[in-house]
Structures are given as C-alpha cells and as structure tokens.
Amino acid sequence: MTLKLYNTLSKKKEDFVPLQGKEVKMYACGPTVYSYPHIGNYRAYVFEDLLRRYLEYKGNKVTLVMNITDVDDKTIKASGGDKSKLTSITRRYEKAFKKGLSILNIKSADEYPRATETIDEMVELIETLLEKEYAYKTDDGSVYFSIEKYSKYGRDNLVQLDPKSMRAGERISEDEYDKEGIRDFVLWKAWKEEDGDIFWETSLGKGRPGWHIECSAMSMKYLGEELDIHCGGVDNIFPHHENEIAQSEAASGKKFVKQWMHCAHLIYEGEKMSKSLGNIILLEDLTKKYSPEAIRLALLSTHYRSQLDLTDKKLKEAEGNIQKITAFRQRMKRIRGKGRFDDVKLSATSSVNLSAGRSIKFQPDFEEALDDDLNISEALSALYRTMREANILSDENDIGKDEAVQYVHQLDEFDKMLGILPEKEAEIDESVYEKIKEREDARLAEDWALSDKIRDELFEMGYNLEDTPHGTIPKRKK
RNA sequence: GGCGACGUACCCAAAUGGCUAAGGGAAGGGUUUGCAAAACCCUCAUUCACCGGUUCGAAUCCGGUCGUCGCCUCCA
C-alpha cells in the first residue's frame, strides 16, 4: 500500500517516496519562544507527530528537525534589548513548549536547533546569496533577498503570485527599511538602538538574522540541501515558506523540499484565538479539565487540512472515547487476566488460531485510511467498528484468550500512531481485589445492602465497578 | 482589491462519478443486570446550502447564487 500525501506545491495528493530509500528527512517549523504556546500551536505539532509516527510505522527511518526561534522582533521586544534577559525568557518558554510536547505524548524531534546557535550557518548562507547576487546590502547594513533577481519567485510554487496585484502602497510606507523591491525580504537586519546588546558581530556587520533564513540554514545543517518533507501551519505558506524556497534554491541550485504539508488552524468555540479577544487557550487550561489523551484525540480527530473548531463538547466526546478505548483494552486483557476473572470458556470457534472470517480485519482498513493523506476519520471508524465486533464476541462469551490477545496487540500497534492510550495502566491494588471478592460473596448470598456498601467504598477509593459475565471489573475513575 | 478553502442529520465528521451516504456523540426504545455501570441491538439525512447544466448515472464534475472562514501584516 502506498502512502499518498497532499502536497501544497502541486495542490494534489501524491505518492510519497523518500528521496533516498527509506530515509525520510523531515523539517517542521517550531515555535517562536516569546510566550506560552497555545493549544492551536499544539495542533500542528500533533499533526506532525501523527505523520512522523505513521512514516515510521510504514518502515521509514525519520529524522525530524524542529527549530526554536529564540531571537526575532517579538523576543527582542519582550527582553527590552537585554541579551541575558532574552536568553532567560526564551529558555523559559522553550521549556514550557517541550513540557507540552511531552504531556501530549508527542515524540521528540532529533534536533531542536536554536536560532541563536545557528548564526554562523545563516551568515554563511547569506554570504552565498550575496556572492550569487541574489541578495544585496542596503545603506544601513541590512541584507535583502532580491525577488527580481530570482525570477522563479512565487511562480509554480506554494502560492501563485502576481507582483502587480500586490498592495504595494501600504507596505512601502510601513516599511522602515530601504528595500529595492517591495516584495524583497530581509535576510540580515542591521543593528538598531532598540536591539540593545542583542546583536552578532559577523562578516555581514553588526546585526541579527531575519526570520526566514533560519529555517533554511537549520534544515541544511542537519538534513542537507534537499528535504523530503517540510511542514508547518497554513499561515506559514506565505511568505515564510515561499521565501525559504527562494533563498534555499537560489543558494543551492537544488530543489529544496519535495513535499510541503500544512496544517489548518484551530479555532476555539467558533472563534479565532487572539489576544484581543482574550480567548487564548493554553494546554494547561485544558489539562485541568481533560486528560492529555482526550486532548490529543480531540486535536487528532479532525483531518489536518480542515479547520478544527475545538469545543468543550468535542473534548468531552474525546474523553468518552478514550474511556471506551481503554475499557475495551482492559476488557480484552481481562479475558486472559489473572484471578477469577479470566475463566472464560473457550468455545470451538474462538480456540487458539484465528480462523478465516474471524481474523482481526481492521488492520487493512486502518492502514488504507491513513495511506490516504492521513484520513484519520476513516481510520478511527475502522477502530470503532472492530471494537464493536470484539465486544459482541465477548458479550457472547465467544472469544478465546489468544484472540483477545490479538486484539490487544493490534490496538497497541495502532496506538503507536495514535498515541492515545495511557503510558501504562496503573496497577490496581490487591486490596481492591479483596474487596471485590468480599462483594462477590455478598452478592452470591444476595446481601445487596452489603454489596452496595462495598461498591460505594470502592467508589470512594476511586473505582467504578462493572459486573460482567466474566466477573467484576474495577475501573479507575477519571 | 487579490489568492484560497469550506457548506453532508440535533452536534462532530468521512465518502470526490455508480451497490442500502462511514464512524463518533446526543436523544428515544430495547436486550442484559439484584440494582447500577459497561457492552450489545433498534430508531435517528429518499438526502448531501440553493439554482441551473454535463452524464445512462453526481453529495462528488461545470456555471451561477447565498453563506461561513482563512491568507495577503508577526502567527502553528
């Protein structure tokens, strides 16, 4: 089965074939660490995580690089031009960002290069562009990329641009720099008074890098001049990624990125999150009410190219589904579990080997769905359908432990991509089982008062009980 | 003004030319249960914003209308 991915470059789904064998070089635009990342930021990282995990599932070795933008207009402004303050601010938010990644079970990138630690590479790249005359220096010492020189700019690329139609007037008047062309973008920003002691003394002069150049420099440093996949949020398509293509390809003469992928935005309760509306939602705002797994599932369950309206209702739904899935896994495990709960009769049909027609068949459906540009809805649908099948078998006492183990195993396989099962199931204390046994005895004696009392006790301890044909199952309350 | 996306049941959300329009949630009814919980079963869009057109055949293609949204400026 071939993986098809939508390419922003061609505006079509394309078969994904890595440039080299099974090696996938992947670059994802990371955060600018000037404040706490909000839940919308994390949507993009969750999408990239799904992509990365799926590529790995398909047998690829993925090398993922994600930049940390720790110097730019916003971070400098926040630091008031104080370099040590800049560092302390950016490190704080970088830490918060990474903590969020781990909460949401997002696998770590191989590298998280910081802009401030990649200055040499950026300068080198800008020097190359100057040599090739794709860039020019202005009187104040800044360096710009010349769109006029680079004739391929904006044509047959991510966006179709007609330079004549651009609203030039407004921009020129707003721009304090001396550019030759209205669309030229800055590679190197000469030092200004407000920058304070935040500058680098380089062959280009005293100043700091522009924003776009860092991704080109970092990706080249860690992944080479040609990447398989570059992803980010849709807002990055223009101008950021368009500019990256121009400067990278102008410098290297090679095709920069084979596959561009962009994640649509998240809005919250029907509104775009913005500071002015005061509705910026941070991950920690949600973790107070919902489990990380539910948040992750909610972010995951809308296809990445559709705008996601995150609502309280949706998060509740996700929480319910997480419960459903974990309960299912427990149920299947229980069928071969310990103690008195595992003595399920092995019927003829369910014995040992999976026979034809009784095989677990969500694997092809699931994979086929994700092969189609990560169609998560279809994939989850396959998952739910299979859970129902297995639950029916279990209800009918028509499932053997070998088969149940297969279901658990299969679920775990899919969770390698979904990442929504809790890390490990918390061990349930022996005393809980003892109380359950007491209650079982009470129930056999039809002492309902005692039975209910024990149930209440366990409820207080944090467990809900389920009486099933296979015995009573304690479920940890969320 | 330019570029682009979308509009499927009460809600979320797939299916992009052809069998009965997935799946999840909510709701109602039922099986099961000492009671509960969970699980399971049934019901829930003759219809895919609206109007035309192409086609043997369209939610899916084309044109128009209305509506929602994004980008064009820092932004995942």
Side-chain angles (χ1 to χ4, degrees):
Chain A
M1 290 188 279
T2 320
L3 172 60
K4 281 187 191 300
L5 296 173
Y6 182 86
N7 194 339
T8 315
L9 218 46
S10 62
K11 314 276 186 293
K12 281 187 300 217
K13 289 180 196 172
E14 295 174 358
D15 287 354
F16 177 73
V17 183
L19 291 162
Q20 277 181 19
K22 288 276 189 185
E23 307 259 319
V24 178
K25 294 172 181 172
M26 178 169 167
Y27 185 93
C29 276
T32 299
V33 282
Y34 72 107
S35 69
Y36 291 105
H38 57 67
I39 194 65
N41 299 124
Y42 283 113
R43 185 205 183 183
Y45 306 132
V46 167
F47 145 65
E48 285 150 9
D49 190 48
L50 174 67
L51 174 62
R52 182 255 182 93
R53 285 165 179 257
Y54 193 55
L55 287 166
E56 288 177 346
Y57 179 82
K58 299 285 278 187
N60 298 289
K61 183 179 180 304
V62 178
T63 310
L64 175 64
V65 176
M66 180 180 278
N67 62 292
I68 304 285
T69 302
D70 60 351
V71 58
D72 79 321
D73 292 343
K74 287 190 292 275
T75 47
I76 289 175
K77 197 175 170 193
S79 73
D82 180 334
K83 202 168 191 173
S84 63
K85 199 172 168 195
L86 176 76
T87 308
S88 72
I89 291 172
T90 55
R91 290 300 156 84
R92 178 164 82 237
Y93 293 124
E94 180 183 322
K95 207 174 154 191
F97 160 70
K98 286 181 177 166
K99 188 180 165 200
L101 294 184
S102 112
I103 287 171
L104 288 174
N105 198 15
I106 293 166
K107 291 177 81 173
S108 267
D110 296 275
E111 299 286 347
Y112 290 103
R114 299 185 180 112
T116 54
E117 291 168 1
T118 321
I119 302 285
D120 291 348
E121 288 81 356
M122 290 193 246
V123 170
E124 203 178 309
L125 191 58
I126 295 168
E127 292 284 11
T128 304
L129 290 167
L130 281 166
E131 273 165 38
K132 294 193 172 184
E133 296 185 346
Y134 285 117
Y136 58 90
K137 222 166 185 170
T138 55
D139 293 341
D140 72 339
S142 294
V143 180
Y144 285 87
F145 185 88
S146 170
I147 281 164
E148 205 177 331
K149 279 276 173 58
Y150 188 69
S151 58
K152 288 201 304 203
Y153 188 85
R155 285 196 313 187
D156 307 319
N157 279 335
L158 296 172
V159 286
Q160 261 68 57
L161 287 176
D162 174 9
K164 293 186 190 79
S165 73
M166 288 188 239
R167 295 200 288 182
E170 292 173 38
R171 309 208 27 172
I172 246 176
S173 61
E174 279 171 13
D175 204 314
E176 56 202 293
Y177 289 103
D178 172 26
K179 297 188 208 173
E180 286 176 5
I182 46 169
R183 272 291 170 185
D184 290 356
F185 58 91
V186 70
L187 297 167
W188 184 257
K189 290 185 170 186
W191 179 81
K192 288 181 296 173
E193 190 132 2
E194 316 81 280
D195 295 345
D197 68 345
I198 301 169
F199 62 85
W200 284 262
E201 197 69 69
T202 71
S203 57
L204 296 167
K206 181 178 172 181
R208 61 180 173 95
W211 173 43
H212 310 302
I213 197 70
E214 70 174 58
C215 289
S216 294
M218 288 174 180
S219 59
M220 286 181 185
K221 179 177 178 181
Y222 293 99
L223 300 169
E225 290 173 333
E226 297 171 285
L227 314 182
D228 288 292
I229 301 177
H230 189 133
C231 34
V234 284
D235 49 86
N236 282 143
I237 294 175
F238 188 86
H240 185 52
H241 289 162
E242 197 63 57
N243 292 350
E244 272 185 53
I245 292 174
Q247 68 201 4
S248 302
E249 298 192 352
S252 73
K254 292 176 183 158
K255 189 168 178 67
F256 179 44
V257 172
K258 189 174 182 187
Q259 177 82 39
W260 284 92
M261 298 185 72
H262 295 95
C263 180
H265 276 175
L266 173 149
I267 60 174
Y268 188 75
E269 296 287 354
E271 277 183 328
K272 185 181 176 172
M273 286 191 288
S274 75
K275 288 209 166 113
S276 56
L277 285 167
N279 63 347
I280 299 285
I281 305 295
L282 303 181
L283 181 55
E284 60 176 332
D285 295 326
L286 297 180
T287 49
K288 285 173 193 156
K289 277 181 85 178
Y290 306 101
S291 69
E293 293 79 20
I295 299 168
R296 183 175 162 105
L297 180 60
L299 294 179
L300 214 47
S301 49
T302 295
H303 184 83
Y304 75 93
R305 282 193 287 122
S306 297
Q307 179 175 272
L308 163 63
D309 185 5
L310 191 66
T311 59
D312 196 54
K313 195 174 171 186
K314 196 170 274 177
L315 286 157
K316 280 195 184 116
E317 246 182 72
E319 194 74 76
N321 280 323
I322 293 292
Q323 297 260 343
K324 188 182 177 125
I325 294 163
T326 44
F328 171 76
R329 189 172 184 282
Q330 273 183 6
R331 186 180 193 184
M332 288 299 120
K333 276 186 82 177
R334 182 66 34 179
I335 286 172
R336 57 138 199 189
K338 64 175 179 177
R340 59 196 298 178
F341 311 118
D342 68 343
D343 48 2
V344 181
K345 281 186 308 209
L346 287 175
S347 68
T349 46
S350 65
S351 64
V352 198
N353 294 316
L354 295 175
S355 52
R358 281 291 297 275
S359 63
I360 301 168
K361 59 177 193 265
F362 61 120
Q363 179 169 16
D365 289 350
F366 196 93
E367 197 170 333
E368 201 176 305
L370 290 180
D371 268 345
D372 182 17
D373 195 30
L374 305 177
N375 189 333
I376 191 72
S377 304
E378 288 280 10
L380 290 173
S381 166
L383 182 65
Y384 292 127
R385 283 200 309 270
T386 310
M387 289 200 310
R388 188 162 64 227
E389 273 174 34
N391 276 326
I392 291 170
L393 295 179
S394 180
D395 273 2
E396 291 168 353
N397 228 354
D398 189 20
I399 183 169
K401 67 176 176 182
D402 291 346
E403 207 166 6
V405 166
Q406 294 256 7
Y407 277 108
V408 173
H409 174 73
Q410 192 68 96
L411 185 60
D412 289 350
E413 274 295 298
F414 292 129
D415 194 57
K416 285 182 182 167
M417 285 159 276
L418 299 174
I420 53 173
L421 288 173
E423 273 294 298
K424 51 183 165 191
E425 279 168 43
E427 283 299 312
I428 290 173
D429 201 84
E430 261 328 292
S431 67
V432 173
Y433 286 111
E434 279 163 26
K435 281 195 181 296
I436 287 172
K437 185 162 183 322
E438 266 179 60
R439 181 166 168 277
E440 291 285 270
D441 295 338
R443 290 180 71 211
L444 282 173
E446 297 191 12
D447 183 351
W448 309 125
L450 178 60
S451 165
D452 290 349
K453 183 170 163 275
I454 295 171
R455 182 161 62 195
D456 290 344
E457 278 173 25
L458 284 165
F459 186 82
E460 288 302 312
M461 289 167 65
Y463 296 94
N464 275 322
L465 297 190
E466 284 180 23
D467 296 328
T468 75
H470 318 318
T472 298
I473 298 176
K475 277 178 65 184
R476 199 180 284 278
K477 284 189 299 184
K478 171 58 200 170

